[in-house]
Each structure stands twice: as C-alpha cells, then as structure tokens.
Amino acid sequence: MATSGKSGSKEIEISPYNLTEGMLAKLNISNILSKIVQLNPQEAETAQGDKPNSSSANRSDSAAEPSTEPVAQFDVIGNQKFQIEAIRPETLHKEVVILASFGDHFPEVDAVAKMKDNAERMNEECSPLNKELQLIRDMVNESETYSMKYVMVDSPGNQWAREYYLKRIEQFFANCDKDAAVLWYTGVAERGTGNWCFKDGVITFQDVFELYLNHLRGKVVYLVCDCSYSGKWRDECVKKYDDIGIGACGHYSKQQSIMLKILTSCKSDQEAYELLYPQDSVKVDEEKKSLFFLGKELRSGQTPRSFGSTRVRCKNGREGPCQTDISWKWGDALLGHLVYLVRGKDRGKAAWHYVLVDEEK
C-alpha cells in the first residue's frame, strides 16, 4: 500500500500508472497490485458520486494531510452503480430445497463432518442438525420471496444413493415454476474439494452445473453450501465462467443465460462448524421480507465466500449495453483485493488516487 511522503513537489507517492477509472475494467488486477491509479480531481469526484466542481482542483485546503479510507471491494470502485444486479434479486420468487447429509459415507472418500461448537451443544432431544434445519425453515417461512419445497435428510438408517439425490436435483430444476431455485446443502463434505458426501460417493460442482445447464438454464440458481471446504465450489464456479468465456459482468451472464450465485459458509481451506452459518450469516430483512446473506466472519473464524454472476460491473446499469471488455475474467475481478481512495496534494492542489491492496497481505 502506498505511504505518504514527498517526491519532488508531490506530497503523496505516485506510481507510473496514470489510469482513469474507465480503464480499470480492462486491467488484469494481479498485474497492478499495490500500484496507485491516479485520477484527475474532477474524475475522482465524479467516481465518488459527487457533481464535478471545476474549482475543486484548485482548493489547497481540501486535503491538508494525505489520508486513506476503504472504498469497497474492487467491483464497487466507490460507485454505487457497480452494486446493481442484472436481474433484481428482491423481485425473484425463489423455491428452496434443502439437502442435509449426516449419515455414513463412502469409505474411499475422506469425509469431513462439521465441527461442534462447545457453546452450541444441544441435548439429545434437540440435536444440532434438527436445530439447524428448523432455523433455516423458520427463516424461509418468514420471507415473502422464498418458499420451501422440501427437505431431504440423509442420516444413519435413512440413506439413499448418490444417483437418487442427483435425480431429485434434476427433478427440482426441471419442474421449478418460480423465478429462481435455491439448492441448500448442509452436512458432510469431502476434504479439500467441498463435494457433498453420500453413502456411495460424492456430488460435485460439475454434477450440479450440468443439471442446471440441461434443465434450468436461463433462470437464477442459488447454491448455498454450508459444509467444510465449501469455498472450493465458489472457486470452481469462477473458473467455469472463465473457461466458457463469460465476461466478468452480469450483462454477459444474462446474455449467456448462465446465472449462478454461490454462497459458501467458509473458504476453500477451512472447516465448518454446526449451526453457525445460519445463525451468524443469514438473516431475514424485515423491510424487504427476504433472506439476506451477510458474508461476515463467523464466531468460529470461518469466513463465508460468495460469487454472484449477475452483478453488473460496469456503469451502464441493469439494461446495458455492457462497457467492460469481454476478455476481463471473473477470476481477476474476484481476487479479493481492496480499493482505497488516497487523498493528498500534488503541486499544492488536491489529488485523488486509488490503491489496490491484497487483503491477504
């Protein structure tokens, strides 16, 4: 991250990269980490949502000392328009199916069950699984835009084969008469992959993706994965979009009729705890009467991840046409870097700059 200091007559550090906001969408983010993107003062004010002020560039007292403040994730770039969805999520009526797998699993699979949180241990009359499923049901029932179709629980003495679950997912997608489908998995996952575990094998992201393309393409599908290593599915989905060649903007996803949203309870290298994801990271928006996934770090330290392919990442809004280069990849757009607005002076005049910072460092 840039630090304050003097370089000639400039009171903040400036890199050789002198790029306007309109060029950011064409950049490979990994190539400009920790570089400063310099905007002229008028462009910077416009990017922040203010009306351009021709006199602002000459005010010497507007930034007495260089300061930094977080703007948002890279896709926002300090402009609220970048938070628009290509399809309004609050208007979609969503049908929900929950798969819960806590039974015995295929011996050749390294299955990882959710860990127990000592503060949440239940007595035998109310197991963590039952409490978790009831919590999800209650939230869905409170929401006016979500409706529960059914819940399938895979537990000792009540187990089915992997192919049976794939058939039920296929039927769910093929017969969904709502605007969107929500497939919510909670339970045991394969170590390192996040794949869903059943008695004779696993269900992979590719399995679900193919069923979506064959039976529900053109509608929005939410995949909620509350299991260990679930962030791996998010990573696989991003790679799939890049392999297909879908540009990193909701306009392209809508054009291709491939509109997936993935919400995971942890990163690709983390294990999940019982109950915590629906308790800490899923809420009912009282005003909109809809489920709201917070994405904040849980008490256990696990960090939910998400990927929304309908997010518009250019300035043309919901209707387009898209301004981003189709070669801009989702993998670049979702690296998890932060954009900071850096303010200071350049030759006695106010200057604005953007700094890209790797959140892992």
Side-chain angles (χ1 to χ4, degrees), residues 248-314:
C249 184
H251 292 128
Y252 295 122
S253 299
K254 189 175 180 181
Q255 289 170 12
Q256 293 273 2
S257 298
I258 301 177
M259 296 177 286
L260 292 178
K261 296 176 72 71
I262 293 191
L263 300 147
T264 73
S265 63
C266 61
K267 294 181 179 181
S268 58
D269 59 351
Q270 292 180 322
E271 295 188 12
Y273 280 75
E274 295 173 339
L275 286 168
L276 294 190
Y277 183 62
Q279 283 184 334
D280 290 3
S281 197
V282 187
K283 304 296 178 185
V284 177
D285 187 316
E286 296 297 335
E287 182 178 346
K288 296 180 179 179
K289 295 296 183 183
S290 184
L291 292 187
F292 181 59
F293 295 83
L294 303 177
K296 68 177 184 178
E297 183 176 298
L298 309 185
R299 283 169 283 163
S300 61
Q302 67 192 72
T303 305
R305 307 294 281 171
S306 65
F307 167 63
S309 67
T310 60
R311 176 67 59 82
V312 172
R313 297 174 184 274
C314 74

Side-chain angles (χ1 to χ4, degrees), residues 84-92 218 220 254 259 310 312 318:
I84 293 174
E85 299 277 352
I87 295 178
R88 296 177 183 271
E90 69 273 11
T91 65
L92 298 178
V220 178
K254 189 175 180 181
M259 296 177 286
T310 60
V312 172
R318 189 167 287 110

Side-chain angles (χ1 to χ4, degrees), residues 139-173:
M139 288 190 291
V140 169
N141 291 335
E142 286 182 50
S143 169
E144 294 179 356
T145 59
Y146 287 75
S147 60
M148 184 69 71
K149 189 173 180 68
Y150 57 80
V151 178
M152 295 184 64
V153 180
D154 190 89
S155 57
N158 188 40
Q159 294 183 255
W160 292 275
R162 166 185 176 274
E163 289 300 324
Y164 174 78
Y165 284 100
L166 286 173
K167 190 65 177 177
R168 294 301 300 268
I169 296 171
E170 178 183 352
Q171 292 171 346
F172 172 42
F173 286 172

Side-chain angles (χ1 to χ4, degrees), residues 198-212:
F198 300 95
K199 72 174 186 178
D200 62 346
V202 299
I203 289 179
T204 67
F205 169 77
Q206 182 63 28
D207 292 332
V208 178
F209 185 73
E210 289 179 359
L211 291 175
Y212 168 70

Side-chain angles (χ1 to χ4, degrees), residues 15 64 81 89 97 132 209 236 243 258 260-261 291 338 359:
S15 80
K81 289 184 179 180
V97 163
E132 183 170 307
F209 185 73
E236 285 191 48
D243 290 345
I258 301 177
L260 292 178
K261 296 176 72 71
L291 292 187
L338 301 176
E359 67 176 357

Side-chain angles (χ1 to χ4, degrees), residues 109-130:
V109 172
D110 187 3
V112 180
K114 287 187 182 181
M115 295 184 286
K116 296 184 182 296
D117 181 4
N118 289 333
E120 296 293 343
R121 290 183 182 275
M122 298 291 105
N123 57 41
E124 294 182 358
E125 296 179 358
C126 185
S127 69
L129 170 59
N130 290 335

